[in-house]
Amino acid sequence: INTNSDTVSPSSSPTLTQEKRTSPLVSSPEEDTVIPIRGYNRLMVKSMTSSLQIPHMVYADEINVNALTEVRDTLRPLAQEMGVPKLTYMPFFIKAASLALVKYPVLNSTIDVEEMTLTYHKGHDVGVAVDTERGLAVPVVKGCEDMSVLEIAMELGRLYSLAAEGNLSEADISSPTFTLSNIGAIGGTYMSPVVLPPQVAIGAMGKIQRLPRFVDDHSDKVEAARIMPISWGGDHRAVDGAQMARFSNLWKSYCENPASMMFAMR
């Protein structure tokens, strides 16, 4: 699952509403059928073609979301009162990523191979892959570095609604600097996420499972844990394995100890 950038955004209209969905056939056709590639799927074709130029590297880990689940469940009633009908994990994952990007800004950069430059972006504009009836859409939550978890959740709700209706504007999908995809909402654990140039990094969360885990390295005690796989993809021209691992470790620490995010927020 990937995202869109300003290099592949539609040029004919500020929204994607006039492009009808290009859907896979739900049953076997009686004869060969040609379906035009339009809308979100056309953007995906262009972006995936561009991504073939990237020497990819993948780093994977797993995180224990027991503490995060408790925090999310505790905050859900308050979030509902403040206009967020269903508080999910994604706003926390996005904020944790933004905080980790502060320390490892290379993952929030874009590469220009022609000029041999990296642009480190001040703003954390996080693209979020969304599965819709019209195909894959990747709206962008802009300015995450200055937003609270609640504000990110509210913006996600707005973007999800527009994506479902096919009413995302060009501004809503343009110029992400970093991308997250929650493939686990559909199924699966690990994957090899594909980076879209000029971005240099993408993360994909797998499904959360209740699994047995040792409490620590010095005991045989086992407890139930809610475990989520995370897969990171990076452009190896800009990001090396050590940088990706350190970024992932910091992101993981924020997700496993969500209270620690308060100390890092400005």
Side-chain angles (χ1 to χ4, degrees), residues 16-17 40 128-139 156-169 172-173:
L16 302 177
T17 50
Y40 297 140
V128 181
V130 180
D131 180 47
T132 76
E133 291 187 356
R134 293 169 175 80
L136 177 68
V138 189
L156 278 175
R158 183 188 74 84
L159 293 170
Y160 286 163
S161 296
L162 291 174
E165 298 166 359
N167 289 330
L168 287 168
S169 69
D172 290 327
I173 63 172

Side-chain angles (χ1 to χ4, degrees), residues 117-128:
T117 61
L118 279 175
T119 300
Y120 285 67
H121 297 282
K122 177 182 179 182
H124 299 167
D125 300 337
V126 180
V128 181

Side-chain angles (χ1 to χ4, degrees), residues 246-257:
R246 293 187 180 102
F247 167 83
S248 180
N249 288 342
L250 183 55
W251 178 83
K252 176 178 178 177
S253 72
Y254 287 135
C255 293
E256 292 190 335
N257 303 283

Side-chain angles (χ1 to χ4, degrees), residues 128-151:
V128 181
V130 180
D131 180 47
T132 76
E133 291 187 356
R134 293 169 175 80
L136 177 68
V138 189
V140 182
V141 182
K142 298 187 177 182
C144 294
E145 74 281 3
D146 294 324
M147 300 173 73
S148 67
V149 172
L150 178 64
E151 289 170 333

Side-chain angles (χ1 to χ4, degrees), residues 230-248:
I230 176 67
S231 304
W232 302 104
D235 185 334
H236 218 331
R237 297 171 299 183
V239 181
D240 62 40
Q243 291 170 321
M244 184 67 81
R246 293 187 180 102
F247 167 83
S248 180

